[in-house]
Every structure is written in structure tokens, then in C-alpha cells.
Amino acid sequence: MKLIQQIFAALYRVWFYLIVALATILLFPFLVISILKNSCYPFFFKVARTWSAFIIYGIGCYPVIKREVNYKKGKSYMFVANHTSMTDIMLMFYATKNPFVFVGKKELAKIPLFGYIYKRTCILVDRGNNKSRVEAFRRAEIRLNEGLSVCIFPEGGVPEDLSLLLDEFKDGAFRLSIEHQIPIAPMTFHDNKKRFPYSFFKGGPGKMRVKVHKLIPTENLTLENRKELKKKTREVILGELLEPTV
């Protein structure tokens, strides 16, 4: 039985990459047009949401979203969520209509086709390189000043220990949100580790539950409050992971 499950999971993983490739090829002309200028980013974001929905439903998954807040059009937010799977990218696009820019690891830029789009639209960072982190921080500030939102997975990547429920958070998202006085918009992704984990012989179709939490304001906070803000945000996400409400 276990062998059958592993074979199915391996085939499912291959199917995932085929769906990603198909979605990228079909939408590639629109994606290329949308990344020609920074001013086209809202159009790119709409295309990216279509790309994400195609992949999510194409691999047999269906999002179940419970919202405690509806985001306001034209307002900037700092989107944060727990990080357990490559599908976190698609689900984050799917869960909000507010255009945001990802701050993500540069390794994903090596993926054919997807990597080209990723490199042109995301803020790439080498988390082991201090100069790269500083540059990423600067570019994120530019995008916020342009009226966009930013998305950061504050764990800094998928935890190496896959049994870990939620890793410690890095400071970057909270520094930016305080400096620009934009609210933290936390989300909890419940099922992505089960749907498509970083383990070749695990995974499968099913629901993807998302809890969209209330905003955490940053008005009147200073950088001295960033650790408190970070702790509060982590407690919100961890609490939902421990006791799901969706």
C-alpha cells in the first residue's frame, strides 16, 4: 500500500510540473507583455492570478478561504504567511486581488520559463548574503512607494525540518511595515504541506484551506517595536495552525 502511495505521489508531482509548464506556455505572451514596464504590473498581477488558479485547479485542488477582513482597493499591505510548499506562491496570488510583489529566494529564477517571469517581477534575495538582503530591502521600499503591496514569507524559506509546524520569523517584513506604516496582513495556509510538500514521494489533490486574519496595524510603532510585532504576528498564525477555524 505504501509503495502504491509513493508511486501516485511521484506521478502527481510530475503532473504538477506539467500543469505549471502548460499554464506558463499558454499565458506566456500575456506575461511577457505585462512585464515590459513597471506601470504594467497591475495587469501582470491579474494574469498571475489566472495562472495560479489554472495550476491550483489543474492539480485537483480547491481553495477554501475564510476571511476576517476584506482588503481595500488601492491600499498597501504587508502580506505574510507560513511557508511549507511551492504552492504557497499560487495560493497567495489566488487569495488576494491587491497587487503585491513577492520577496523570494533567487534559486527559483533557474526554473525554465517560470524563472524568467519570476526574475522580472519578484524581488530576489540570497538570504545568505547580507548585501543581497540590503538590496532586496531597498527594492521593496521602491515598490511600496509606487503604491503596491509586498509579500514576504517571514520564516525565510521552508524549514529544513519538515516536521516543524512553524519556524521562527525574520525581521524584514516587520521592519518594512513599520517604516512605511502599512498594516501586516497575515494568512495561514493549512494544507499546502499535505498537497505538495518538499518530499518527492508525498502529496496529492484535495482542499487548500486559507485563513485570512484581521489586519495588525503599525500606526505609531517604531523599529523598537518590530520584535513585538513579529511575535504577535507569529502567534496569530501559530494559533490557527494549532486550532484551525476553517
Side-chain angles (χ1 to χ4, degrees), residues 123-135:
I123 299 170
L124 306 187
V125 58
D126 178 355
R127 299 188 188 278
N129 184 311
N130 187 58
K131 184 178 179 181
S132 176
R133 293 199 303 269
V134 171
E135 176 62 18

Side-chain angles (χ1 to χ4, degrees), residues 6-246:
Q6 289 179 338
I7 292 173
F8 174 80
L11 291 173
Y12 181 74
R13 187 163 293 265
V14 172
W15 177 250
F16 169 83
Y17 288 116
L18 288 174
I19 289 294
V20 170
L22 179 60
T24 305
I25 291 169
L26 289 175
L27 294 171
F28 196 73
F30 302 100
L31 290 168
V32 170
I33 292 172
S34 68
I35 62 177
L36 293 177
K37 297 188 297 183
N38 282 348
S39 59
C40 294
Y41 192 86
F43 174 61
F44 161 79
F45 191 80
K46 291 180 180 179
V47 178
R49 296 191 74 233
T50 302
W51 174 84
S52 298
F54 186 100
I55 293 169
I56 289 172
Y57 288 106
I59 61 174
C61 294
Y62 56 97
V64 178
I65 303 177
K66 182 176 181 180
R67 300 181 184 274
E68 291 185 335
V69 64
N70 289 310
Y71 305 128
K72 295 180 179 179
K73 185 177 179 180
K75 186 172 176 59
S76 295
Y77 300 94
M78 176 60 68
F79 295 110
V80 300
N82 54 311
H83 195 21
T84 60
S85 169
M86 192 181 294
T87 57
D88 296 339
I89 295 173
M90 295 82 178
L91 195 56
M92 183 63 79
F93 274 130
Y94 186 93
T96 177
K97 295 180 180 179
N98 290 62
F100 63 79
V101 178
F102 270 114
V103 176
K105 56 184 180 181
K106 68 175 187 178
E107 289 80 5
L108 292 180
K110 299 177 182 178
I111 300 174
L113 288 182
F114 169 80
Y116 173 74
I117 304 297
Y118 180 80
K119 183 167 57 176
R120 292 294 302 269
T121 56
C122 297
I123 299 170
L124 306 187
V125 58
D126 178 355
R127 299 188 188 278
N129 184 311
N130 187 58
K131 184 178 179 181
S132 176
R133 293 199 303 269
V134 171
E135 176 62 18
F137 194 87
R138 186 189 68 81
R139 290 186 62 198
E141 288 186 317
I142 291 173
R143 300 304 259 169
L144 285 170
N145 288 333
E146 291 173 350
L148 296 172
S149 296
V150 169
C151 175
I152 297 177
F153 294 116
E155 291 169 274
V158 176
E160 293 183 8
D161 180 1
L162 296 182
S163 66
L164 184 64
L165 189 61
L166 187 66
D167 207 348
E168 295 300 321
F169 283 3
K170 311 296 184 185
D171 282 357
F174 309 98
R175 288 181 60 92
L176 272 172
S177 61
I178 289 174
E179 288 191 349
H180 288 266
Q181 293 290 283
I182 60 173
I184 299 288
M187 298 185 198
T188 301
F189 297 161
H190 280 288
D191 304 298
N192 289 11
K193 185 187 290 188
K194 185 186 299 182
R195 300 283 77 84
F196 197 80
Y198 279 80
S199 176
F200 193 82
F201 295 107
K202 294 182 179 179
K207 63 183 176 181
M208 287 179 163
R209 292 171 294 163
V210 182
K211 177 64 177 290
V212 177
H213 299 281
K214 295 177 182 178
L215 299 174
I216 301 177
T218 59
E219 287 89 348
N220 302 318
L221 297 185
T222 68
L223 289 179
E224 293 181 356
N225 303 117
R226 69 183 184 279
K227 293 189 183 300
E228 177 185 345
L229 180 64
K230 177 174 66 175
K231 180 181 178 182
K232 183 176 181 180
T233 305
R234 186 176 183 276
E235 287 175 349
V236 168
I237 295 175
L238 181 59
E240 175 64 22
L241 288 171
L242 292 171
E243 298 182 11
T245 61
V246 58

